[in-house]
Amino acid sequence: MPAAPAPVFRLYLLRHAKAAWALPGQKDFDRTLDDTGFADAEIVADMAADQNLRPDLVLCSTAVRCRQTADPFRRAMTEDLDIRYVDELYAGGASVYRDIIGSQDTGLSSLMVVGHNPVIEEILRDILGEEAAIKAAPAGYPAGALAVIDFDTRPSDGILPLGTLTAWLDPDSHNR
């Protein structure tokens, strides 16, 4: 039986893991992961590595909690994992995320975006369609969860085509 053809493009959507509440006087941008968030980020990174789900490039919000969520992927996969920090992913809306995803080099076969809700969930709904998104995440997009979406056509110019959910890694569903 022949192997399934490789997708034209694969998108990894990672919502930052569970973060602590801001301390008095602390900016939202500087919030860190709490103990559960640190553990969940490690679990999802290890699950992804075990399933050979490895992006070519990681674009990560510059917020501390997103950077802390992305770091375990470098440890679980390879120290050479290309992680780039993008300010616009911190406060940008869905159109900013679409533009960033669609503007990547056409030689890139996969991309991970590490960002924030509600935008991550909105992008998932755009890509999968409402029904499939609700089936994947009936209670909303959980903190620390990773969606892996395959495309038959490449996103471009801020337009994200419909994709197919290939994997859903949720730290809450992992047996601890």
Side-chain angles (χ1 to χ4, degrees), residues 6-69:
V8 171
F9 185 75
R10 175 171 278 177
L11 178 65
Y12 299 83
L13 284 178
L14 178 61
R15 180 181 173 198
H16 70 74
K18 191 171 180 323
W21 293 106
L23 299 171
Q26 183 182 39
K27 294 178 182 174
D28 176 74
F29 181 87
D30 295 322
R31 290 174 44 215
T32 62
L33 296 182
D34 64 14
D35 289 344
T36 299
F38 277 110
D40 287 350
E42 293 285 345
I43 287 168
V44 170
D46 288 343
M47 289 168 62
D50 289 348
Q51 295 179 39
N52 202 30
L53 298 171
R54 300 169 193 261
D56 295 334
L57 172 64
V58 178
L59 298 180
C60 180
S61 163
T62 51
V64 172
R65 59 193 177 272
C66 287
R67 295 191 324 250
Q68 290 173 330
T69 300

Side-chain angles (χ1 to χ4, degrees), residues 1-7 10 150 166:
M1 181 179 213
R10 175 171 278 177
D150 286 347
T166 302

Side-chain angles (χ1 to χ4, degrees), residues 37-156:
F38 277 110
D40 287 350
E42 293 285 345
I43 287 168
V44 170
D46 288 343
M47 289 168 62
D50 289 348
Q51 295 179 39
N52 202 30
L53 298 171
R54 300 169 193 261
D56 295 334
L57 172 64
V58 178
L59 298 180
C60 180
S61 163
T62 51
V64 172
R65 59 193 177 272
C66 287
R67 295 191 324 250
Q68 290 173 330
T69 300
D71 285 345
F73 284 83
R74 182 175 278 138
R75 288 191 294 276
M77 294 177 181
T78 174
E79 290 294 321
D80 295 335
L81 184 63
D82 189 359
I83 301 177
R84 299 179 193 167
Y85 302 100
V86 181
D87 288 331
E88 294 81 6
L89 291 174
Y90 172 62
S95 64
V96 169
Y97 278 60
R98 281 187 211 95
D99 287 345
I100 289 170
I101 293 165
S103 68
Q104 296 309 304
D105 180 350
T106 56
L108 198 66
S109 64
S110 64
L111 171 69
M112 178 184 284
V113 175
V114 184
H116 306 267
N117 245 11
V119 179
I120 289 286
E121 186 170 342
E122 184 177 336
I123 295 295
L124 183 74
R125 289 175 187 274
D126 287 352
I127 292 171
L128 297 182
E130 193 72 21
E131 189 175 314
I134 289 171
K135 185 176 178 184
Y141 207 114
L146 174 66
V148 182
I149 302 111
D150 286 347
F151 296 92
D152 292 333
T153 57
R154 179 172 282 289
S156 64

